[in-house]
Amino acid sequence: AAGAAWSILPGSRDWPGKKRLGTGGVYAEYIDAIGEEGWRMWNPRTWMWIWLGVECVGLAYDFAWHGFLNPGFDATTMDEMVKHLSTVHLPLYFGVAGMLVSSTWGLIDHLRRSETGLAIPVAFVGSLIQTAGETWHAYSHLQLTTHMGPIAFSVSFIGMVIVAAALVAGRRGDRRRAAGVGERRRAG
């Protein structure tokens, strides 16, 4: 029964009405009645890119709020800090949480398909680093101390850069593999 559930999931070999797009790679895309654009929403890598964008918007909002709108803000009570974190930092937290979920999904899919390549595992590690850094950053804020904030933020930012680099490298690797497969087919 468990195998039957997997056989109807998008991306499985038994997906009804599938049409293969491209020449392969980590995420050979299949489309059916929902169309190519709708199909991409089932790809964890697409969601990783979306959450990376949400994180960038969250960072920009955080920087603008602290740098231009309220440059002298200093919460003095726990209630003020909780309100601050649940408003100003919330877009960034959504992005980090979404990245962790989608990179976990991507890693599970990567392992389930026995795929090669390091892009998804590296992106997953980057999302773990980022989540740890952002959690540490929020914890230091809740302690009403700013001493560890910059270090914790740096850890989070490094994790985000690792994720972005892995996604870019994975995209380039997929294109190279697809081009190589096409050349081998023409030669053979």
Side-chain angles (χ1 to χ4, degrees):
W6 281 110
S7 69
I8 62 168
L9 288 176
S12 72
R13 302 283 180 213
D14 300 327
W15 186 253
K18 67 184 177 185
K19 175 182 170 190
R20 188 174 175 97
L21 271 190
T23 56
V26 175
Y27 290 99
E29 296 182 28
Y30 295 94
I31 60 171
D32 65 353
I34 60 175
E36 181 179 347
E37 291 304 315
W39 182 256
R40 288 194 178 127
M41 298 311 289
W42 283 92
N43 185 338
R45 205 178 276 193
T46 299
W47 283 102
M48 292 167 75
W49 280 108
I50 289 168
W51 290 118
L52 188 62
V54 170
E55 290 174 19
C56 290
V57 168
L59 277 177
Y61 177 62
D62 190 10
F63 290 161
W65 194 91
H66 284 287
F68 302 116
L69 301 175
N70 294 297
F73 176 77
D74 188 22
T76 56
T77 67
M78 179 69 83
D79 288 340
E80 288 177 352
M81 186 54 75
V82 167
K83 182 179 178 186
H84 172 69
L85 293 177
S86 65
T87 55
V88 176
H89 291 246
L90 196 60
L92 179 58
Y93 294 160
F94 275 136
V96 171
M99 180 62 74
L100 182 62
V101 169
S102 60
S103 66
T104 301
W105 171 25
L107 182 65
I108 291 168
D109 193 49
H110 180 82
L111 295 173
R112 184 178 61 86
R113 294 171 185 245
S114 300
E115 297 287 350
T116 58
L118 294 175
I120 296 297
V122 168
F124 174 73
V125 170
S127 74
L128 289 176
I129 292 169
Q130 182 180 20
T131 302
E134 208 51 53
T135 302
W136 181 19
H137 191 210
Y139 177 78
S140 69
H141 275 315
L142 290 172
Q143 300 304 310
L144 300 178
T145 179
T146 57
H147 300 298
M148 298 308 291
I151 297 170
F153 170 77
S154 297
V155 170
S156 176
F157 188 75
I158 288 168
M160 187 172 94
V161 169
I162 290 170
V163 169
L167 288 174
V168 168
R171 183 178 240 176
R172 288 182 180 163
D174 285 349
R175 287 182 180 160
R176 279 191 221 120
R177 280 189 295 276
V181 169
E183 289 172 14
R184 285 193 298 259
R185 284 185 183 163
R186 279 184 232 121

